[in-house]
Amino acid sequence: MNGLFLKIVKMSLSATWLILAVLILRLVFKKAPKWINVLLWGIVAVRLICPLSIESPVSLIPDFAGSDKLVSEWTDDYIEDVSIIHDNSLDYDAAVTAGREPISDGSGGYYVITKYDQLGEPSTVENTVVPVLSSIWASGVVILFLYTVISYLKLRRKLDTAVLYQDNIYQSEHVSSPFVMGIIKPRIYLPFKLDGQNMEYVVAHEMMHIRYKDYWWKLIGFLIFMIHWFNPLVLLAYVLLCRDIELACDERVIKKLNNEQRADYTEALVNCSVNHRVNRRVASTYPLAFGELGVKERVKSVLNYKKPAFWIVILAVIACIVVAVCFLTNPPAKEDDSSFLPGTQIDETNKLSLNDVIILSQNGYDLTWSDFEQYDYTETGSGLYIRVYEIDELFSLRIGGGQPDKDPMYIYLVLTDDSDTRIDIRDGGVTEFISE
């Protein structure tokens, strides 16, 4: 389950940037047809549920969000002091026997990482924090699912007494506002108090929901929210999806109505929202049912409706295509020019020199990763972050630690042909070591 949770976190992180882009586009294309907004949320849904993504040079997803690097660096981080035991140490065999996995240092040697002054496995975020978080995530999914099922069953029980009006339209004393419920054979439920004119517009609206399978959009949106419930932007996306579906449905109904009929339509909306508290409860508690949400915004939208100009529709569609291309893809993986391989070429321009090492060593244990950032290096190691700085044919410098945002565990000046002969430059004695 830990692996699944981390995969969901990575997908949610990359989708966050897409959600932000859609929020901006909703403001930019206010005059575009509302179905454009629904289409944009559909693109978000694809990003949230698709575990695979192709690479593209035009991707606008940041490198750290589009790759596994951010999450991997976080999960690999040690949360306690550790000891690094090299293969020339007396404790090396004992540590391997205790179950610690040997890790190549990139130059023919090996080392293991243990608890500080112990042989046990060190604690990382992955084996301590992640199991707890994944359990909380799974519990949240289960709670939302059970709440939804129980609420749905309660509503169905209340609707058992509903009276057939005509076709798939039912009336019930337990219904205060119209809504559609059902997946395979959706039904329209109306309150008894609706008069003839209001009923005509309400039924037209709900039938439009059924015609365009809006109940499927909302169901898929809610299921995605259940999986990504920990991301507040996903919740916001779901809420706005529901509103945009309603606005799009209104547009489809009113585009053939005259001004007087549109006024009657808005009056029907207002009349159906008198009991607004119950209305919201139906829509939020029973996610498989469509309640009437955002009535004030919808009334304003209906009254101000004008058929969108053709060029606005074209621009909006192009924007959707651009968003899909730029946010459903990941940036190309950068060539790992830092992986340590025999014969790796180092740019002589920024190459670390022995004189640089002598000068830097004077800072002792105040040395950090950033002090060496200007010099070319290669990365190696597994389970421990290691940088290798090739100096000349005789010497190289190795910096190892959990992550570059923490203090290095060691900064070794090493003989190239004998990795066991080394000195931590923070302890001083660099000049003497070189001379020997």
Side-chain angles (χ1 to χ4, degrees):
M1 186 172 65
N2 294 346
L4 176 61
F5 169 67
L6 291 177
K7 188 65 178 178
I8 295 297
V9 170
K10 295 171 187 176
M11 293 163 61
S12 195
L13 178 62
S14 60
T16 294
W17 301 94
L18 175 54
I19 294 174
L20 293 174
V22 171
L23 292 176
I24 295 174
L25 286 176
R26 288 178 81 254
L27 297 176
V28 173
F29 290 104
K30 277 188 174 181
K31 295 184 178 181
K34 301 306 179 184
W35 60 264
I36 290 290
N37 292 343
V38 179
L39 180 58
L40 287 170
W41 292 127
I43 297 174
V44 172
V46 172
R47 183 84 216 198
L48 285 168
I49 62 178
C50 183
L52 303 177
S53 180
I54 61 176
E55 296 181 353
S56 168
V58 297
S59 174
L60 294 180
I61 299 293
D63 289 339
F64 69 87
S67 66
D68 295 343
K69 184 176 182 180
L70 182 64
V71 174
S72 298
E73 287 182 353
W74 172 64
T75 56
D76 290 341
D77 202 7
Y78 293 103
I79 62 175
E80 63 180 350
D81 292 335
V82 299
S83 294
I84 300 172
I85 303 175
H86 292 271
D87 52 8
N88 62 340
S89 171
L90 296 176
D91 295 327
Y92 179 79
D93 290 338
V96 173
T97 302
R100 306 290 73 77
E101 182 180 355
I103 302 170
S104 172
D105 63 8
S107 60
Y110 289 87
Y111 63 90
V112 294
I113 303 175
T114 68
K115 287 177 178 276
Y116 184 71
D117 283 342
Q118 299 180 40
L119 299 180
E121 182 179 0
S123 298
T124 63
V125 171
E126 185 172 11
N127 59 29
T128 54
V129 178
V130 171
V132 175
L133 294 180
S134 63
S135 297
I136 294 174
W137 166 73
S139 299
V141 174
V142 172
I143 290 172
L144 283 172
F145 178 76
L146 292 177
Y147 177 74
T148 301
V149 172
I150 293 173
S151 299
Y152 177 74
L153 293 176
K154 284 184 178 180
L155 179 60
R156 287 301 302 267
R157 189 177 300 114
K158 288 182 179 181
L159 296 176
D160 283 344
T161 57
V163 177
L164 177 64
Y165 177 72
Q166 66 180 36
D167 299 327
N168 63 333
I169 305 173
Y170 291 77
Q171 291 181 303
S172 172
E173 59 184 356
H174 298 294
V175 174
S176 60
S177 183
F179 61 90
V180 173
M181 189 173 72
I183 300 300
I184 306 301
K185 295 181 178 180
R187 294 179 175 181
I188 299 174
Y189 290 92
L190 307 174
F192 279 113
K193 62 184 180 181
L194 277 180
D195 58 34
Q197 180 173 285
N198 285 337
M199 181 177 291
E200 177 184 354
Y201 292 120
V202 167
V203 170
H205 177 87
E206 303 302 338
M207 290 298 292
M208 196 65 70
H209 275 314
I210 294 176
R211 177 181 175 184
Y212 284 87
K213 303 293 189 294
D214 286 339
Y215 47 89
W216 276 108
W217 279 102
K218 189 172 184 183
L219 173 61
I220 293 172
F222 185 78
L223 291 177
I224 292 174
F225 162 67
M226 281 202 309
I227 296 173
H228 296 268
W229 63 265
F230 56 86
N231 188 337
L233 282 180
V234 175
L235 172 59
L236 176 61
Y238 173 67
V239 172
L240 293 178
L241 166 68
C242 294
R243 291 193 177 187
D244 288 338
I245 287 175
E246 292 297 333
L247 291 169
C249 186
D250 287 335
E251 281 193 352
R252 295 182 185 115
V253 175
I254 67 172
K255 63 183 179 181
K256 294 184 178 181
L257 303 181
N258 57 38
N259 291 336
E260 182 179 350
Q261 291 173 321
R262 290 177 187 177
D264 293 337
Y265 183 86
T266 58
E267 183 180 350
L269 284 179
V270 173
N271 292 337
C272 290
S273 64
V274 173
N275 195 342
H276 203 54
R277 181 183 63 81
V278 176
N279 192 26
R280 282 184 173 180
R281 175 177 170 79
V282 170
S284 59
T285 307
Y286 312 113
L288 299 186
F290 267 91
E292 304 301 326
L293 296 176
V295 173
K296 183 178 180 181
E297 179 184 4
R298 292 173 58 197
V299 168
K300 183 178 179 181
S301 176
V302 170
L303 293 178
N304 296 330
Y305 175 77
K306 293 181 179 179
K307 184 178 179 180
F310 180 72
W311 66 269
I312 292 180
V313 178
I314 294 300
L315 284 179
V317 172
I318 293 175
C320 290
I321 296 173
V322 171
V323 165
V325 173
C326 295
F327 288 95
L328 290 183
T329 58
N330 287 337
K334 294 181 178 179
E335 293 185 6
D336 191 8
D337 55 0
S338 62
S339 57
F340 184 83
L341 295 171
T344 299
Q345 298 296 315
I346 305 295
D347 187 353
E348 299 288 339
T349 305
N350 297 318
K351 188 174 181 180
L352 183 68
S353 68
L354 287 175
N355 187 54
D356 294 327
V357 174
I358 293 172
I359 295 174
L360 289 167
S361 68
Q362 296 174 6
N363 295 321
Y365 279 84
D366 290 331
L367 284 172
T368 64
W369 298 88
S370 60
D371 292 316
F372 299 87
E373 200 68 44
Q374 61 180 305
Y375 304 107
D376 290 316
Y377 61 87
T378 57
E379 295 177 5
T380 185
S382 175
L384 191 69
Y385 184 68
I386 300 175
R387 289 181 181 176
V388 179
Y389 296 81
E390 298 294 341
I391 299 176
D392 54 30
E393 294 180 355
L394 295 178
F395 298 98
S396 63
L397 186 82
R398 296 176 181 272
I399 309 178
Q403 291 298 335
D405 58 348
K406 295 189 176 182
D407 292 335
M409 295 179 182
Y410 62 79
I411 306 178
Y412 289 151
L413 181 61
V414 184
L415 279 180
T416 302
D417 58 357
D418 184 8
S419 60
D420 294 335
T421 303
R422 56 180 175 256
I423 182 176
D424 194 318
I425 68 172
R426 297 175 297 181
D427 295 326
V430 175
T431 303
E432 293 79 3
F433 179 76
I434 294 173
S435 301
E436 293 178 359

